[in-house]
Amino acid sequence: MAAPRDQRETVEAEGSAGCRRSSGVEVVQPADPAAPAPLCPHGPTLLFVKVNQGREETRRFYACSASRDRKDCNFFQWEDEKLSEARLAAREAHNRRCQPPLTRMQCVERYLKFLELPLSQRKFCERCQQLLLPDDWEKHHEHQVVGDISVTQLRRPSRLLYPLENKKTNAQYLFADRSCQFLVDLLSTLGFRRVLCVGTPRLHELIRLEASGDKKSNIKSLLLDIDFRYSQFYLEDSFCHYNMFNHHFFDGKAALEECRAFLQEDEGEGVIIVTDPPFGGLVEPLAVTFKKLIALWKEGQRQDDNHKELPIFWIFPYFFESRIRQFFPSFSMLDYQVDYDNHTLYKHGKTGRKQSPVRIFTNIPPNKIVLPTEEGYRFCPLCQRYVSMENQHCEHCDSCTSKDGRKWNHCFLCKKCVKPSWIHCTICNHCAVPDHCCEGPKDGCFVCGELGHKRTACPNISSSKSAHKAVRKQKQRKSNTVKLETTKGHPMNHPSAIRKKKRRERAHQYLCS
């Protein structure tokens, strides 16, 4: 369920003390976890439920894990829906049609043939985003074709390929050179020899470039990415077509084994995961996927190494800190601002709310990570970590409290530091943005409103379900009575009946979106 990466204001407001949303969609576990989920073109689907503050919809549905735009993937199926053989066959045929035109082996064979061509015959079709062999030229003669593709260009495919910027599906923003070089230098300084790049193609490229260049770096890299276009630039040991929202390897067991061998090499020593997911993606399925990768790594560990953790860099906006730490309590957030080449907002050097909100979450102790002082970072001896220059140590909180690069102010009534734009509200009895909704719905469990747990872990969920089930039955009886009276006294195309039908259609469309 990818979503716009630049909905910063919306997502940040939901995590603040302002007006919070009263409804949403959550990922839930199926009644039988062992049963396979229905398949869409992006692999196994996820099970969702629509929830509202204080009540929940009991009918759950399967939808695509990677896309929330029905124009890109229109899969929708109720959990209890029974499909005919004809519909199942049609779905399988549709899934096959949506797969890449070439198999992984065919892509490798074409790449090796392309490397053997003289420079004058190496061509790339910008329209089809495809490397061309001489046999392909005739089919693309009316397209925009670039010639003389050098080995250097082949090693930087992210600069040949157009970024997939459909914000509801891919949101493919690429690291700026500054951030990419910082990450490579940091990984080398920390002594890592292998990097599993999950959704970080530009980092993968730079690691391989430095390994083949003058520096002769000894770091190896394996890229897992949902963009199948990278298949035409890499051999099997360098790239796996992969969906990080459901841990699905599109090329089957062979790709899974490639990833397993990469993680378990040298008994799992010297490897790290670096991941940069779409920021609108739900945190829970991402966390489940990363835990499955951790489990793959642990299979190669010795019994006496069970206490070790697989090092991870999870790159995500700072306002997701609480959600990430809910699944990975050992993670901490670094102050380093990650920026992107093709994003208008997430740029380094901007000030205030215009600066990049993207940070690095990691289980590596912060005191081991040195941030560049020439970019405005300093070491705080009290916190024993590097922080941004504006992030001042609060003697009351005994911490450098800023999350967004601005100096935060301590509120003695709330007993914590808050954003400089927030004020203390005497009605809500906490700090919030000036135009917030007083006494609005609380952030927390959708059933009881408590902050300590989610709806799925609520102790009142069974009683809530029973109460709402009774209410729904009562509403259904009234609805049936109205329908019966309408049928007797008026034709079925009565305006009220039409309006109800349209409302139902809109509700169904909303659930499907």
Side-chain angles (χ1 to χ4, degrees):
M1 292 286 286
R5 280 189 160 191
D6 57 357
Q7 285 185 337
R8 174 182 175 187
E9 301 296 335
T10 303
V11 180
E12 189 174 1
E14 289 169 2
S16 72
C19 297
R20 301 181 178 92
R21 62 183 179 182
S22 58
S23 65
V25 175
E26 288 186 5
V27 179
V28 293
Q29 289 296 322
D32 181 9
L39 298 178
C40 76
H42 300 94
T45 54
L46 297 179
L47 185 61
F48 297 92
V49 62
K50 186 174 182 296
V51 290
N52 290 307
Q53 195 81 20
R55 62 187 181 89
E56 62 176 8
E57 302 291 341
T58 56
R59 199 172 187 191
R60 308 190 292 187
F61 60 92
Y62 287 99
C64 178
S65 64
S67 172
R68 69 180 182 89
D69 191 336
R70 297 201 69 206
K71 293 179 181 178
D72 293 296
C73 185
N74 63 357
F75 186 96
F76 181 89
Q77 179 183 325
W78 295 112
E79 182 188 23
D80 55 0
E81 185 177 0
K82 302 298 181 183
L83 301 184
S84 65
E85 293 295 328
R87 283 190 64 188
L88 288 173
R91 177 180 290 172
E92 290 179 8
H94 172 72
N95 290 346
R96 285 194 298 271
R97 287 195 301 271
C98 293
Q99 295 311 304
L102 300 173
T103 65
R104 188 72 181 93
M105 186 61 68
Q106 289 173 323
C107 288
V108 170
E109 290 174 356
R110 287 175 58 88
Y111 176 67
L112 294 175
K113 289 180 181 178
F114 192 89
L115 289 175
E116 294 174 354
L117 295 173
L119 184 63
S120 60
Q121 295 185 18
R122 293 182 192 162
K123 299 183 179 182
F124 177 77
C125 178
E126 292 187 335
R127 177 175 170 181
C128 301
Q129 297 284 279
Q130 180 184 337
L131 295 174
L132 302 180
L133 297 176
D135 292 343
D136 305 321
W137 293 353
E138 181 61 29
K139 301 175 187 176
H140 301 264
H141 75 280
E142 294 183 353
H143 298 178
Q144 184 69 36
V145 175
V146 179
D148 298 338
I149 302 299
S150 65
V151 173
T152 302
Q153 287 175 293
L154 290 174
R155 289 174 176 170
R156 303 301 300 264
S158 70
R159 300 187 185 276
L160 272 177
L161 300 170
Y162 293 133
L164 301 175
E165 294 182 354
N166 181 337
K167 296 171 184 176
K168 293 184 178 180
T169 307
N170 298 286
Q172 193 179 56
Y173 297 113
L174 302 168
F175 291 143
D177 289 342
R178 161 193 162 269
S179 293
C180 205
Q181 190 64 59
F182 165 75
L183 286 169
V184 172
D185 293 342
L186 176 61
L187 294 169
S188 177
T189 301
L190 293 173
F192 291 107
R193 301 186 297 275
R194 299 187 312 285
V195 182
L196 186 65
C197 296
V198 184
T200 58
R202 189 154 283 182
L203 177 65
H204 176 65
E205 292 172 6
L206 188 57
I207 290 173
R208 289 171 57 83
L209 271 176
E210 295 207 348
S212 62
D214 296 334
K215 294 184 179 181
K216 294 296 181 184
S217 167
N218 62 348
I219 302 179
K220 295 193 298 184
S221 176
L222 173 63
L223 174 63
L224 310 184
D225 202 283
I226 198 169
D227 188 351
F228 71 89
R229 298 177 301 170
Y230 285 104
S231 298
Q232 59 187 316
F233 295 94
Y234 296 115
L235 302 180
E236 297 96 329
D237 62 348
S238 302
F239 172 76
C240 296
H241 189 198
Y242 179 75
N243 182 351
M244 71 174 77
F245 289 97
N246 56 9
H247 188 55
H248 176 65
F249 289 87
F250 290 89
D251 298 310
K253 188 175 180 181
L256 171 62
E257 292 305 317
E258 196 69 54
C259 179
R260 188 197 308 271
F262 186 85
L263 287 171
Q264 295 181 7
E265 184 180 330
D266 295 336
E267 296 183 332
E269 290 293 326
V271 65
I272 183 174
I273 292 178
V274 181
T275 181
D276 182 33
F279 298 160
L282 297 176
V283 172
E284 184 170 356
L286 289 171
V288 170
T289 287
F290 300 151
K291 287 182 178 181
K292 288 179 179 178
L293 290 173
I294 292 171
L296 274 182
W297 171 76
K298 278 187 174 292
E299 290 175 6
Q301 295 285 293
R302 297 189 299 266
Q303 289 295 327
D304 55 345
D305 288 339
N306 283 338
H307 65 283
K308 289 185 177 180
E309 283 190 272
L310 172 62
I312 297 177
F313 281 168
W314 182 342
I315 298 167
F316 231 45
Y318 69 83
F319 36 81
F320 283 100
E321 181 181 18
S322 61
R323 292 289 290 137
I324 291 176
R325 295 196 65 182
Q326 179 181 343
F327 296 99
F328 295 101
S330 64
F331 277 28
S332 58
M333 186 180 78
L334 306 181
D335 257 20
Y336 184 81
Q337 293 182 20
V338 180
D339 60 336
Y340 298 84
D341 262 352
N342 57 324
H343 199 293
T344 56
L345 295 178
Y346 297 171
K347 299 285 188 182
H348 174 68
K350 294 190 176 183
T351 58
R353 296 178 64 81
K354 293 183 179 180
Q355 60 193 318
S356 173
V358 187
R359 302 290 184 269
I360 300 173
F361 295 87
T362 182
N363 51 359
I364 299 174
N367 60 358
K368 293 184 177 181
I369 298 175
V370 179
L371 303 186
T373 55
E374 66 273 13
E375 293 184 13
Y377 299 98
R378 62 178 182 83
F379 184 76
C380 176
L382 298 175
C383 294
Q384 285 293 295
R385 69 184 182 101
Y386 276 83
V387 296
S388 65
M389 200 64 70
E390 296 81 4
N391 192 357
Q392 300 300 312
H393 193 90
C394 175
E395 60 180 9
H396 307 287
C397 299
D398 194 23
S399 175
C400 292
T401 52
S402 173
K403 306 290 185 183
D404 60 6
R406 296 178 292 171
K407 183 181 182 301
W408 285 21
N409 302 322
H410 188 83
C411 175
F412 291 94
L413 296 175
C414 293
K415 298 181 180 179
K416 65 178 182 179
C417 286
V418 297
K419 296 178 181 180
S421 58
W422 287 15
I423 59 172
H424 192 86
C425 176
T426 56
I427 299 175
C428 301
N429 197 29
H430 56 63
C431 288
V433 291
D435 57 347
H436 71 284
C437 301
C438 291
E439 300 180 333
K442 293 182 179 179
D443 192 16
C445 175
F446 281 141
V447 176
C448 67
E450 293 295 327
L451 298 176
H453 60 268
K454 290 183 65 179
R455 178 197 63 82
T456 50
C458 180
N460 301 325
I461 192 169
S462 57
S463 59
S464 173
K465 283 183 177 179
S466 302
H468 291 303
K469 188 175 181 181
V471 171
R472 280 193 300 273
K473 283 185 175 180
Q474 185 177 0
K475 288 182 178 179
Q476 186 64 42
R477 285 196 295 270
K478 288 182 179 179
S479 176
N480 292 339
T481 303
V482 172
K483 286 180 182 178
L484 184 61
E485 292 174 353
T486 303
T487 306
K488 290 179 178 180
H490 303 278
M492 283 307 292
N493 61 352
H494 188 273
S496 61
I498 294 175
R499 285 196 297 271
K500 289 178 182 177
K501 182 180 179 181
K502 288 184 177 179
R503 282 199 298 270
R504 287 196 297 271
E505 289 175 351
R506 286 197 298 269
H508 178 73
Q509 185 179 9
Y510 176 77
L511 285 173
C512 296
S513 63

